[in-house]
Amino acid sequence: MLYRLLSIVQRQRTSPGWQNWSSSRSSTSATEAHSVTLPAQAQVVICGGGIMGTSVAYHLSKMGWQDIVLLEQGRLAAGSTRFCAGILSTARHSSIEQKMADYSNKLYLQLEQETGIQTGYLRTGSISLAQTQDRLISLKRINSRLNVIGIPSEIISPKKVAELHPLLNVHDLVGAMHVPEDAVVSSPDVALALASAASQNGVQIYDRTSVLHVLIKKGQVTGVETDKGQIECQYFVNCAGQWAYELGLSNEEPVSIPLHACEHFYLLTRPWNTPLQSNTPTVVDADGRIYIRNWQGGILSGGFEKNPKPIFTEGKNQLEIQNLREDWDHFEPLLSSLLRRMPELETLEIMKLVNCPETFTPDMKCIMGESPVVQGYFVLAGMNSAGLSLGGGAGKYLAEWMVYGYPSENVWELDLQRFGALQSSRTFLRHRVMEVMPLMYDLKVPRWDFQTGRQLRTSPLYDRLDAQGARWMEKHGFERAKFFVPPNKDLLPLEQSKTFYKPDWFDIVESEVKCCKEAVCVIDMSSFTKFEITSTGDQALESLQYLFSNDLDVPVGHIVHTGMLNEDGGYENDCSIARLNRRSFFMISPTDQQVHCWAWLKKYMPKDSNLLLEDVTWKYTALNLIGPRAVDLLSELSYAPMTPDHFPTLFCKEMSVGYANGIRVMSMTHTGEPGFMLYIPIEYALHIYNEMMSVGQKYGIRNAGYYALRSLRIEKFFSFWGQDLNALTTPLECGGESRVKLEKGIDFIGRDALLQQKQNGVYKRLAMFILDDHDTDVDFWPWWGEPIYRNGQYAGKTTSSAYSYTLERHVCLGYVHNFSEDSGEEQVVTTDFINRGEYEIDIAGQRFQAKAKLYPITSYFTHKRRKDDVELSDFHGK
Amino acid sequence: MCVCPGPRRIGLPVRTPSLPLFSDAMPAPTQLFFPLIRNCELSRIYGTACYCHHKHLCCSSPYQSRLRYTPHPAYATFCRPKENWWQYTQGRRYTSTPQKFYLTPPQVNSILKANEYSFKVPEFDGKNVSSILGFDSNQLPANAPIEDRRSAATCLQTRGMLLGVFDGHAGCACSQAVSERLFYYIAVSLLPHETLLEIENAVESGRALLPILQWHKHPNDYFSKEASKLYFNSLRTYWQELIDLNTGESTDIDVKEALINAFKRLDNDISLEAQVGDPNSFLNYLVLRVAFSGATACVAHVDGVDLHVANTGDSRAMLGVQEEDGSWSAVTLSNDHNAQNERELERLKLEHPKNEAKSVVKQDRLLGLLMPFRAFGDVKFKWSIDLQKRVIESGPDQLNDNEYTKFIPPNYHTPPYLTAEPEVTYHRLRPQDKFLVLATDGLWETMHRQDVVRIVGEYLTGMHHQQPIAVGGYKVTLGQMHGLLTERRAKMSAVFQDQNAATHLIRHAVGNNEFGAVDHERLSKMLSLPEELARMYRDDITIIVVQFNSHVVGAYQNQEQ
């Protein structure tokens, strides 16, 4: 592939004005020695000489690591990096990507000065156009997030757009977002500059050297086999771009890196009669599915079409590489869109239509981090055609990860371990990326679910629930019911249901929540990750005591909520553990913890043959019976008293339900509502469900989905790992003190950090915000990531939100920081600091007043009162 | 049966005796094909029509001609149109109808697409290893209800796929039965001894049966629930006999032989079931209707590069071959069994005494009555007169009262005159063999085979037909390119109005004008004929277009080399 692309490059070079390739290359000739033999060993081997590989090498060497080898199968910066359109845009949807792009921007700006290599960096700014109001809302959300991390941007009128860019047709626009500091840059030159700087710091770079596979012993990287010999190493970094998937599978112990390439087209034109100014802003017309930048006095324009062409499904395929050519018929919709946006371009002469495959991932977020199965195997790939924008920041985070054990930001949403092995099927990837690529420019709305690659993991009740109107979402490949549409009700078709406002399922979820409060509901929660840890002696207890922050030496039958912390006291996992007997524990974690938690336990648990860790997720169907009548229903089904006297909360017992024996009944519901979780061996699931539904009729039983659960959970301030909690938040920062037993007599992981934090105070605090002046019917709904303002000052972001049907208000969870007004430094956050603030939440530029709470409003929920009796003041003063 | 409410509203003077439409378009009353069930009611309408047409044919007296072979219009049901009625309609000006009526293009589409079905062989892991990419099929009824049937299924216990079209006459009972039963007989004939034993043991011990066929059916393609038990028992008897017959020597199953055996056996079972009868009166009537009506069959069995076509009657299998220069040529893989086939005439004459040489085929029809020379069912041409009388007398009243069933063909001396034995053709697929068209005579009598293959070929390759554009060195502006691309897309969307090759073919078959282009006005006229009239202008059309996977076929070929 790369050789092929290279030859295109070489032909390109003969054409006048193709960037500054030749000039910059000569200065890096030092890195291009050919006949050099490879070193026998190194600390780190990086595979891939594109922008990712060079960025990782650059940052590792900056952080002081010396012994680094970078291998490239063709020439440096010759893959996707070579053909990158060169647009650096910070206007991204997630905060972490915004931060990475911002860092990249700053890095590239000074790179020319640092290395002396021209990178073609030009601060042009970018304009994101909105043809619809919904798109404008989406831009406003990005805008308010950009502003709080210090990136200037503003929402501008169509008139202003016309001033900024003379050629644009603005008649169909409703507005736009202008980010003045966005830039264009020549990405191969950036990669070469990074490589050159890394090489000066001692990184050894070898091109025309292919990695064949990685050598692994006992789950640990030991070396790399290349076509020019072996290199022993401790760390391997897979930055192989679209070949990363293949490379991952080539090991004896395959590493699954779910990504897939699609063909991507952009157009180059010859210069305009009066060449375009070099600082003409880049334009992104997402509704028209195109981007346009100035290029050598003409334009460069490409886009993300609705009907992408996936490629290399079967790996490197010479035939497909040869067929990589311009496809004008395929490009036609984008060309039409371009001419609609810039009608004057009609007379501009075509230079070339470039076809450069881009890599996409199943969830449109890049992949970084350490493999869950092979220690020392790191990955940075799958950039979803934002490689240039994210390259600098992503390289920095990965380098931090390798050097310090974790990046300085929470990158769980980019972590390789968010995927399971099941997401690595070629068919799945091929189908999914065909959905992901158009999604690049689709409107991103809350609660969007992917439509491809579905129905992979399902509960045995799937068909039953589906027949009763369940609407499904997918988590970690598992189908979960969102809510149940009553037979007489119709919801909007998928496309029309996209909204930033009140969704069409509002009333449906309301009735489910009401049923949970007043009668009883059943929710299928089988997707939760379930592990069993058993041992012959006390090893299980001992290792769990070391791994978890709470005291697990509890009487048999008790359930403990506990965090699984890292050295810094941050949550690696938040779970519930039931002590089944003296030597056996049952652990329930969030669905997407299946890979991460397993890897963590494997890493830290003693290698003891008497200690058995088993993933039993697939063995149990979990039914959550929520509601005041759950007690009555379950006692009728089991002929056993279920009242709190006989079955206290946070208690676990194996009992018979219906005809089935050995059902693990736990008195908790993950929502704070009364009820039970039933862990049912899957063969009994249908039986028990049927029994529940028929016997439960007289108690008013009905099905409920995850949206109801979410509403119940958030109004009770139950935070959730992966959304509210992550590796950089400690129990002390989110009201989880009760889940930590510092004095349990065991020096568990993270104890020192927590002790210190207890002494010094916390620098951020998770709080619950109740939106006061938010009108559910007419205002935008909060989602997550909305900026929080305290006394008019930016104080943090929300992490999740839901409408509370009980409070009849929106509830957001989010972290409050105390940024010093002078220096911007973080200061200690005290309870007093939280309580004395006036808060506002910024939803798409509109600020709503909010009341902050540090603890759930228990009084309201425990006393059952009629709605009318409750004054707002009642739950303001806790 | 009528697919669209449109035609019902048509202002044609249907029930007036002087039908201007008939007088010049109708060459013979024998074109009237009515299902038995509706005989009484329809005969009232068409009595007059038949009458005037015999005049048109210059028969000495219409009355005489009716006596000769159509004592009642219902007898027409087992006669095939002798002349190509299309010739008579070719130059017609439809404006002679009193009212103008047009179907809108969406209405036309909804009629044409009502029965369309597409099946794509599922890809496994992004690859399709079958030599078949998939098939498109469609039906356009002219009779009400339609007498054509179609079937498609994948063999699950052996390799290969079965596809077939069935053209019924004298009602749809026989074609329906054949369409649901024949593939099971073929599949069983193809099964190795061990699998047959396994299946028999499973049935014996009441265990779940191995699935034999995976059907690919349009929702309108139904299976009769009532008869399934009866059909199953007959099938079981068949495989039990196969098991008993097995001597354990030859393990290789010859597809050709299997096809012939299956056809003959099914016809035999149809005949036997009618003779034995059934205690259930509904079933009893059903098996008799099946036996007394008839059906032709054209079945293709595709397994890798091995293509077998078994044909009984006058449906046809046509292979579309793309020559190196991109042009299309048609290769016929079946022989019509009718009077146009010399070898068939020869065969019939040999099978019967010399003194019958003149009567066995008269006016291009078997015994002067039946167009196809081979068919399923049609026991009137197979049973002895005694047997026919016995069965009819002991049969239900409906049968006894029916003049058609009681009618014995003239010159009926040495039955059987008709057989269901197919003629099997083998073809080894080559990469240039792109598709196979199976269709009932409704298509072939309106279109030349060369046109059929060309239209399908151009349709299937429409996407690739246009050379990709490359800018390479030319001065092209964005505006010029845009114009060019828009033009190309418009061209393409015209081809892709149909998502189904069979629909596309029907559109041409029904709507083609003198220049071979689809004429919407004509299409609209043809489709808006009331159901009682439609049969005079066209026959039922059933088409299956099977697309082959040239890559896989090529790979087979390379392997061999």
Side-chain angles (χ1 to χ4, degrees), chain A residues 825-844:
Chain A
E825 254 178 73
E826 287 194 52
Q827 296 169 327
V828 171
V829 176
T830 59
T831 311
D832 202 34
F833 177 83
I834 302 279
N835 289 341
R836 279 191 305 133
E838 293 285 328
Y839 292 90
E840 286 172 311
I841 309 277
D842 176 337
I843 308 173

Short mmCIF file of all heavy atoms in Angstrom, two decimals, chain A residues 825-844:
data_model
loop_
_atom_site.label_atom_id
_atom_site.label_comp_id
_atom_site.label_asym_id
_atom_site.label_seq_id
_atom_site.Cartn_x
_atom_site.Cartn_y
_atom_site.Cartn_z
N GLU A 825 -5.36 28.77 38.74
CA GLU A 825 -4.94 27.52 39.38
C GLU A 825 -6.10 26.89 40.13
O GLU A 825 -6.99 27.58 40.62
CB GLU A 825 -3.81 27.82 40.37
CG GLU A 825 -2.44 27.38 39.89
CD GLU A 825 -1.39 27.77 40.91
OE1 GLU A 825 -1.36 27.12 41.96
OE2 GLU A 825 -0.64 28.72 40.65
N GLU A 826 -6.02 25.57 40.25
CA GLU A 826 -7.08 24.89 40.98
C GLU A 826 -6.83 24.99 42.47
O GLU A 826 -5.70 24.81 42.94
CB GLU A 826 -7.15 23.42 40.56
CG GLU A 826 -7.72 23.24 39.17
CD GLU A 826 -8.10 21.80 38.89
OE1 GLU A 826 -8.82 21.21 39.70
OE2 GLU A 826 -7.64 21.28 37.87
N GLN A 827 -7.89 25.29 43.19
CA GLN A 827 -7.78 25.38 44.64
C GLN A 827 -8.72 24.37 45.28
O GLN A 827 -9.57 23.79 44.62
CB GLN A 827 -8.17 26.80 45.10
CG GLN A 827 -7.20 27.84 44.56
CD GLN A 827 -7.70 29.25 44.79
OE1 GLN A 827 -8.90 29.50 44.75
NE2 GLN A 827 -6.77 30.17 45.01
N VAL A 828 -8.54 24.23 46.60
CA VAL A 828 -9.35 23.24 47.32
C VAL A 828 -10.83 23.61 47.25
O VAL A 828 -11.19 24.78 47.35
CB VAL A 828 -8.88 23.16 48.79
CG1 VAL A 828 -9.84 22.31 49.62
CG2 VAL A 828 -7.47 22.58 48.84
N VAL A 829 -11.63 22.59 47.07
CA VAL A 829 -13.08 22.78 47.04
C VAL A 829 -13.65 22.26 48.36
O VAL A 829 -13.46 21.09 48.69
CB VAL A 829 -13.71 22.02 45.86
CG1 VAL A 829 -15.22 22.15 45.91
CG2 VAL A 829 -13.17 22.53 44.55
N THR A 830 -14.29 23.12 49.09
CA THR A 830 -14.89 22.70 50.35
C THR A 830 -16.40 22.63 50.20
O THR A 830 -16.96 23.15 49.24
CB THR A 830 -14.56 23.70 51.48
OG1 THR A 830 -15.09 24.97 51.07
CG2 THR A 830 -13.07 23.81 51.70
N THR A 831 -17.04 21.99 51.17
CA THR A 831 -18.50 21.91 51.17
C THR A 831 -19.08 23.32 51.19
O THR A 831 -20.04 23.62 50.49
CB THR A 831 -18.97 21.13 52.42
OG1 THR A 831 -18.22 19.94 52.50
CG2 THR A 831 -20.44 20.83 52.33
N ASP A 832 -18.45 24.13 51.96
CA ASP A 832 -18.89 25.52 52.07
C ASP A 832 -18.83 26.22 50.72
O ASP A 832 -19.74 26.94 50.33
CB ASP A 832 -17.95 26.22 53.07
CG ASP A 832 -18.62 27.45 53.63
OD1 ASP A 832 -19.85 27.40 53.80
OD2 ASP A 832 -17.91 28.45 53.85
N PHE A 833 -17.72 25.94 49.99
CA PHE A 833 -17.55 26.55 48.68
C PHE A 833 -18.68 26.16 47.75
O PHE A 833 -19.23 26.98 47.01
CB PHE A 833 -16.20 26.10 48.10
CG PHE A 833 -15.93 26.61 46.71
CD1 PHE A 833 -15.42 27.89 46.51
CD2 PHE A 833 -16.19 25.82 45.60
CE1 PHE A 833 -15.17 28.36 45.24
CE2 PHE A 833 -15.94 26.29 44.32
CZ PHE A 833 -15.43 27.56 44.15
N ILE A 834 -19.05 24.90 47.82
CA ILE A 834 -20.15 24.44 46.98
C ILE A 834 -21.45 25.11 47.39
O ILE A 834 -22.18 25.67 46.57
CB ILE A 834 -20.33 22.91 47.10
CG1 ILE A 834 -19.06 22.16 46.73
CG2 ILE A 834 -21.54 22.43 46.29
CD1 ILE A 834 -18.82 21.97 45.29
N ASN A 835 -21.71 25.09 48.66
CA ASN A 835 -23.01 25.56 49.14
C ASN A 835 -23.20 27.05 48.97
O ASN A 835 -24.32 27.53 48.86
CB ASN A 835 -23.19 25.18 50.62
CG ASN A 835 -23.39 23.68 50.77
OD1 ASN A 835 -23.75 23.00 49.80
ND2 ASN A 835 -23.14 23.17 51.96
N ARG A 836 -22.10 27.80 48.94
CA ARG A 836 -22.24 29.25 48.90
C ARG A 836 -22.29 29.81 47.47
O ARG A 836 -22.32 31.00 47.28
CB ARG A 836 -21.13 29.92 49.70
CG ARG A 836 -21.46 29.91 51.21
CD ARG A 836 -20.51 30.80 51.97
NE ARG A 836 -19.13 30.42 51.69
CZ ARG A 836 -18.17 31.27 51.39
NH1 ARG A 836 -18.43 32.55 51.30
NH2 ARG A 836 -16.94 30.85 51.14
N GLY A 837 -22.26 28.95 46.52
CA GLY A 837 -22.24 29.45 45.14
C GLY A 837 -23.63 29.60 44.54
O GLY A 837 -24.59 28.96 44.97
N GLU A 838 -23.69 30.49 43.56
CA GLU A 838 -24.89 30.57 42.72
C GLU A 838 -24.52 29.91 41.41
O GLU A 838 -23.54 30.31 40.79
CB GLU A 838 -25.25 32.04 42.46
CG GLU A 838 -25.70 32.81 43.69
CD GLU A 838 -27.11 32.42 44.10
OE1 GLU A 838 -27.90 32.09 43.19
OE2 GLU A 838 -27.41 32.40 45.31
N TYR A 839 -25.30 28.95 40.97
CA TYR A 839 -24.86 28.17 39.83
C TYR A 839 -25.72 28.38 38.59
O TYR A 839 -26.92 28.64 38.69
CB TYR A 839 -24.84 26.68 40.18
CG TYR A 839 -23.78 26.35 41.20
CD1 TYR A 839 -24.06 26.39 42.56
CD2 TYR A 839 -22.48 26.05 40.79
CE1 TYR A 839 -23.09 26.12 43.49
CE2 TYR A 839 -21.50 25.77 41.73
CZ TYR A 839 -21.81 25.81 43.07
OH TYR A 839 -20.83 25.54 43.98
N GLU A 840 -25.05 28.25 37.47
CA GLU A 840 -25.77 28.27 36.20
C GLU A 840 -25.19 27.17 35.32
O GLU A 840 -23.99 26.90 35.36
CB GLU A 840 -25.57 29.61 35.49
CG GLU A 840 -26.35 30.75 36.08
CD GLU A 840 -25.94 32.06 35.45
OE1 GLU A 840 -24.72 32.32 35.37
OE2 GLU A 840 -26.82 32.80 35.01
N ILE A 841 -26.04 26.55 34.53
CA ILE A 841 -25.59 25.54 33.57
C ILE A 841 -25.80 26.13 32.17
O ILE A 841 -26.88 26.65 31.88
CB ILE A 841 -26.39 24.23 33.68
CG1 ILE A 841 -26.46 23.73 35.12
CG2 ILE A 841 -25.85 23.18 32.73
CD1 ILE A 841 -25.30 22.95 35.60
N ASP A 842 -24.77 26.03 31.34
CA ASP A 842 -24.82 26.59 29.99
C ASP A 842 -25.19 25.49 28.99
O ASP A 842 -24.40 24.61 28.71
CB ASP A 842 -23.46 27.20 29.65
CG ASP A 842 -23.38 27.73 28.23
OD1 ASP A 842 -24.16 27.27 27.38
OD2 ASP A 842 -22.53 28.61 27.98
N ILE A 843 -26.44 25.56 28.51
CA ILE A 843 -26.85 24.57 27.51
C ILE A 843 -26.93 25.29 26.17
O ILE A 843 -27.79 26.14 25.97
CB ILE A 843 -28.21 23.94 27.86
CG1 ILE A 843 -28.20 23.40 29.28
CG2 ILE A 843 -28.54 22.83 26.87
CD1 ILE A 843 -29.54 22.92 29.77
N ALA A 844 -26.02 24.95 25.28
CA ALA A 844 -25.96 25.56 23.95
C ALA A 844 -26.03 27.08 24.03
O ALA A 844 -26.78 27.72 23.31
CB ALA A 844 -27.06 25.01 23.05
#
